[in-house]
Amino acid sequence: MTETDRKILVLYNIAFTPIRFIERLIHGYGFRCDVKHTREAVQEDYLDAEVIIGQPNPKYLKKAKKLKWVQLTSVGADHVADASLYANNDIILTNASGVYGKPIAEHVFAMILAFNRNLMQYERNRQNGKWSPVLPMRDFYGSTLCVIGFGDIGKEVAIRGKALGARVIAVKRTVGECPPYVDELYLTDEIDKVLPKADYLVLALPNTPETRGILSEERIKKLKPEVFIVNVGRGTAICQEALIRALQEGRIAGAGLDVTDPKPLPADSPLWKMPNVIITSHTSGFSPQNWNRHAELIRENLSRYVEGRPLLNRVDFNKKY
């Protein structure tokens, strides 16, 4: 690789490991590539970087005076979407929207269908060698699926919900055309109209000041007793204490939580022992195909960056996504 003053710092982690492939991907664009594990990178690694690919440490960004563009390997950007973290005012921040939507949508329906078909209780029965029907069961077909947050993840959930025969309602922040796989489309300030309709409520929201606590205690009270809530966005979107009370009192049917607040979920949380709650460790986005999608996005954005064209998935520092 030709040495140059232009440097790309690649910060990899467990989910982002094909290092030699990254170097080949970058080769030919006029940059030298410095690869570091995220946990092992130090402040000096940031100093001369023009581009960072991966998950930077916010406390080192102010020292990166040559930095112009950060390509995250996550969809969530709130941890670095603060202009005061950077030395330059014209930083371009892009996220990995489009990489995780498909596996997360599959995870959503794994939770919903496991709940509907009582698979958690069947697994407990299996461990005890017990053959016994677990009834009643629920149908997803013909139900109403409400998706709060209509980015890449929300859209993938809506597409699959429609394919499985649900009436799909979506809630998004901005006005837009209603796609064919959505039956009703609402704006965020109309969320209170949507909640009472939901048999299944899926939250796929980023962490922003507007989304924190959006499913408040008052809003949980608007839900049907039969509702099953799935959260695959950020744990801060739900008032967790209110959720626990509603589950304990039988005011909602159950929940599938891939994210919690706090995260990790403390071992003494009542949620762990609730038979109608499914908990996964913020792993809904994991997929062996993610790297292929990452590579396609990085390749396209790197080409656009070098040519001076607008980059895909640019994060708005005011909106935090």
Side-chain angles (χ1 to χ4, degrees), residues 157-212:
V157 171
I159 289 168
R160 286 156 181 75
K162 192 63 178 175
L164 289 172
R167 173 180 170 231
V168 177
I169 299 174
V171 176
K172 61 179 296 189
R173 185 178 181 276
T174 56
V175 176
E177 186 176 348
C178 187
Y181 49 86
V182 171
D183 296 285
E184 299 176 33
L185 185 63
Y186 293 83
L187 294 177
T188 305
D189 60 7
E190 300 175 295
I191 190 172
D192 291 337
K193 299 177 183 178
V194 171
L195 296 177
K197 302 179 182 183
D199 296 308
Y200 302 91
L201 180 68
V202 177
L203 289 92
L205 293 163
N207 181 28
T208 71
E210 291 75 23
T211 64
R212 288 175 202 138

